[in-house]
Amino acid sequence: TYMTMSGLFLYIGTIPDFAAARDQMTGWRHRLYKRLALGWKGTDREWKHLHRAYVIMGVLLVPLAASVHSVVAWDWNVTNVPGFHSTIFAPFFVAGAIYSGIAGVVLVMIVIRRYLHFEKYITPYHIGQLGKILLVCGLVWSYFTFMEIMLPWYKGVANNFELMTAVSKLRGTYAILYWTMVATCGIIPLTLLSQRVRTSIPLMVVISIGIEIGMWLERFLIIVPGLNTSYLPAVWASYAPTWVEVGILMWTFSIFIALFLGFVKIVPPVSIYEVKELLHIPKRRGGATPEPAPSPPTSSGGAVESNIDT
């Protein structure tokens, strides 16, 4: 459902762009865009239905995204694995998904801006606005991360295996990974309080890459320490990924990059009609005299002189 709704939302907003590309292309591209445009002509009725459908899909996607990530979190909550059984997981997962997603959008926008020469359409102002969202998401994420450690400590019961899992993150086997995650996702993003940082393309690239690395470490630290620190101390152990698992991880990155490059090759990466709506329409100054139109030649081939008063 999540994939279908997201695909429809993207496709509906791209129909006018497909029609614009259809009118400019030939060959197989023209046939492809003709099918994707669904006979779009740009009438008032079509624009009315498009905006209405776009709003409805956008409104439905917000609770859908929250519910999907909450259900994923509840899949963990119903277990008794130390570190998994936490009621804070649902909002924690939602905040983490939004956080890493915005950072990914920033990286994609900067790459498109650089290599497709979209400096006129993707400006530092747009990157700065996304930086504000990253700052808010970072503060929310920091709160949930603090609560994830505070709750096991607050219980204070004997044989608190959840506290043992938290200690393994704070000053145990996974301390380096944990504090790297805290630095990249919680501390460094605080520099986004400065507008100079938010509007700096190189700094935003560094911060966004750090957030993506930190969020991947968060997934790792959610899964591994709880399984290693189980209720039987005899099975406690340390874990490190094998070369096969690292290869699978790299494969997922390569699949995403390949699909993204193919998408950008076919679909306009920046919405044409939304940019056109924001273009400045030049207006002629009042009282200005336009240039006279060329007069038709006479039968003898000479030009007819005329004065046009406006």
Side-chain angles (χ1 to χ4, degrees):
T1 304
Y2 199 6
M3 182 179 65
T4 302
M5 293 288 290
S6 301
L8 287 175
F9 180 72
L10 178 64
Y11 177 68
I12 289 174
T14 318
I15 290 177
D17 293 350
F18 287 140
R22 172 199 62 193
D23 299 335
Q24 300 293 329
M25 297 295 177
T26 59
W28 68 270
R29 290 179 180 273
H30 174 76
R31 293 190 296 270
L32 174 63
Y33 293 134
K34 183 178 180 181
R35 292 181 178 275
L36 293 175
L38 302 177
W40 177 270
K41 297 180 181 179
T43 62
D44 291 341
R45 182 181 181 184
E46 288 175 341
W47 281 112
K48 178 180 178 181
H49 289 306
L50 174 72
H51 288 299
R52 181 176 297 176
Y54 213 35
V55 171
I56 293 175
M57 294 292 293
V59 171
L60 292 177
L61 272 174
V62 174
L64 178 63
S67 64
V68 167
H69 294 288
S70 297
V71 170
V72 172
W74 291 332
D75 290 338
W76 303 72
N77 296 154
V78 296
T79 68
N80 286 321
V81 178
F84 290 6
H85 194 68
S86 176
T87 56
I88 203 174
F89 262 29
F92 192 20
F93 276 39
V94 174
I98 297 174
Y99 196 21
S100 59
I102 297 297
V105 169
V106 171
L107 289 175
V108 169
M109 288 179 62
I110 293 176
V111 170
I112 291 177
R113 181 181 187 271
R114 173 66 176 81
Y115 290 100
L116 297 183
H117 305 290
F118 282 172
E119 288 82 1
K120 294 182 179 179
Y121 309 108
I122 303 176
T123 64
Y125 169 79
H126 300 109
I127 305 299
Q129 295 300 104
L130 289 175
K132 294 179 181 179
I133 302 177
L134 279 179
L135 176 61
V136 174
C137 292
L139 295 174
V140 174
W141 178 89
S142 299
Y143 169 76
F144 286 129
T145 302
F146 172 75
M147 294 297 294
E148 186 186 19
I149 299 298
M150 193 274 290
L151 290 178
W153 170 82
Y154 186 75
K155 291 180 180 179
V157 297
N159 299 326
N160 190 345
F161 288 89
E162 291 185 16
L163 183 59
M164 296 179 185
T165 302
V167 170
S168 69
K169 298 178 183 179
L170 293 175
R171 54 184 179 87
T173 306
Y174 306 101
I176 296 178
L177 299 180
Y178 181 81
W179 291 111
T180 301
M181 175 195 71
V182 171
T184 56
C185 293
I187 298 176
I188 296 178
L190 293 178
T191 58
L192 294 172
L193 288 167
S194 172
Q195 184 178 2
R196 181 175 299 179
V197 175
R198 294 196 303 267
T199 55
S200 173
I201 302 299
L203 291 178
M204 287 298 294
V205 170
V206 173
I207 293 174
S208 299
I209 292 177
I211 291 173
E212 295 293 348
I213 294 174
M215 293 306 297
W216 188 89
L217 291 176
E218 181 204 62
R219 268 67 169 178
F220 182 89
L221 292 172
I222 288 176
I223 298 172
V224 176
L227 295 176
N228 286 350
T229 312
S230 62
Y231 293 104
L232 295 176
V235 300
W236 288 6
S238 299
Y239 166 79
T242 64
W243 68 269
V244 177
E245 295 166 321
V246 174
I248 294 174
L249 177 65
M250 295 299 103
W251 176 78
T252 58
F253 285 129
S254 64
I255 289 296
F256 168 77
I257 294 173
L259 293 176
F260 175 74
L261 292 177
F263 179 83
V264 173
K265 187 69 175 179
I266 298 175
V267 180
V270 175
S271 179
I272 299 174
Y273 82 90
E274 290 183 358
V275 172
K276 191 175 181 180
E277 289 178 347
L278 300 176
L279 292 179
H280 175 69
I281 302 177
K283 297 181 180 180
R284 189 176 61 187
R285 294 181 179 179
T289 303
E291 296 181 0
S295 303
T298 60
S299 58
S300 61
V304 178
E305 295 182 0
S306 62
N307 291 325
I308 302 177
D309 296 333
T310 58

